[in-house]
Amino acid sequence: YIDDIQVAEYNASATWNGTTGTGWANSSNWSSGIIPGASTNITIPPGKPVYPTLTKTRYCNNLVIQSVASGDGSLIGAGHLMIKGADTIQRYLTGGKWHEVSAMVDSATINSFYFNHSPDVWMNEYDEPTDSRVSIVSLTTSMPLGKGFEAWVDAGYNGTAIFTGAINPSDVTATVTWSDAAHSYNLLGNPFSSAISWDSVYTYGSPSNIDNETWAWDPTAGNYRTYTGSGTGFLTGGIIPMGQGFFVHANASSPALTTPNNAQVHSSQAFYKSQGEKNILPHITITTSKGEKSDGVWIVFHEGSTEAYESGYDSRKLKGSDSSPQIGRAHV
């Protein structure tokens, strides 16, 4: 005879190490040596050689994609992952600097950046018609997928924003507006749980009245890193990190741009990596620095170019912070 039997589900834990490719179902890719199941709590940390790419249905209990000062974890194919518990995506923020940020989950709000005044955080959204920043004061302000925001963390502190909810698995068409030629910049955001490639966004995102160039803010340099369709610019490889806001420029009325699911890439470095395999045009670069702040321009030698602005080759210059050196704002 037996009595007082209790059946309990054991929630094992596993951390991704990526030692044997991108396969989720390879046990050697996990610290526990087991293939995760519906009762397994999963952590995907930064700094791994490769990251998981899902192409078929997989399961887990809780999921955490970590972000630290040195980089972010990454997951492609989140739509194939059946999460029994909760999923969390982190975004690390260094204090005393502006960051351009975006949500990677549905129904996110500014509350993800509220640390109960320890530290204090200031948030802005960008208003295209007036070419100005607008302060956000309500914690319930929505963070729509594909929209970018600006966040400042109190100097002397660091913070980690926490996004919970359904990870976005689908193409995202953000709102892009054009008021006139002088006010035509839009702050968008990467809506996925991995980095994205600007080349793929522009190739597959059905751009309409959008120039083939983008800008992402580098908090350390205190300047924007630009990238054009010809592969030039200091936003190396055209990689836009997870949770990163980025600017685009509309050139006529009714602009449109979709950030497609197939633009996702794994990238362990936010800005500083090799240019990749794109055939870079002959060029020279000019850089200047002041302490840790810096700025730079590319001068490209392209047969057949004209004095007029040419989308995909030329790039407009966005002004950085007042404390950073600036190389002229003319077309370069």
Side-chain angles (χ1 to χ4, degrees), residues 1 13 31 33 54 85 96 101-102 123 146 149 153 174 192 195 214 227 238 263 270 276 286 301 318 321 332:
Y1 299 89
S13 297
S31 61
L54 303 183
V101 298
S102 63
M123 298 286 296
F149 296 83
V153 179
F192 296 112
T214 188
Y227 182 81
I286 301 174
F301 302 96
L318 298 188
S321 65
V332 295

Side-chain angles (χ1 to χ4, degrees), residues 77-88:
H80 295 286
L81 183 59
M82 302 294 104
I83 301 173
K84 179 182 177 182
D87 56 89
T88 299

Side-chain angles (χ1 to χ4, degrees), residues 94-119:
T94 304
K97 301 177 185 295
W98 281 105
H99 302 263
E100 289 180 352
V101 298
S102 63
M104 302 78 78
V105 301
D106 286 327
S107 304
T109 67
I110 294 298
N111 190 61
S112 294
F113 292 86
Y114 180 61
F115 305 125
N116 196 26
H117 301 291
S118 182

Side-chain angles (χ1 to χ4, degrees), residues 164-211:
T164 58
I167 300 175
N168 172 54
S170 306
D171 298 355
V172 172
T173 300
T175 299
V176 186
T177 60
W178 182 89
S179 298
D180 53 54
H183 305 103
S184 47
Y185 292 95
N186 289 258
L187 181 55
L188 306 186
N190 177 357
F192 296 112
S193 54
S194 72
I196 55 175
S197 160
W198 172 255
D199 287 329
S200 295
V201 171
Y202 201 81
T203 299
Y204 304 110
S206 302
S208 177
N209 298 330
I210 299 289
D211 289 330

Side-chain angles (χ1 to χ4, degrees), residues 24 38 58 92 111 189 215 224 230 232 273 286 298:
W24 183 279
R58 302 298 180 192
Y92 180 87
N111 190 61
W215 301 262
Y224 286 94
S230 60
T232 59
K273 63 177 291 183
I286 301 174
W298 286 50

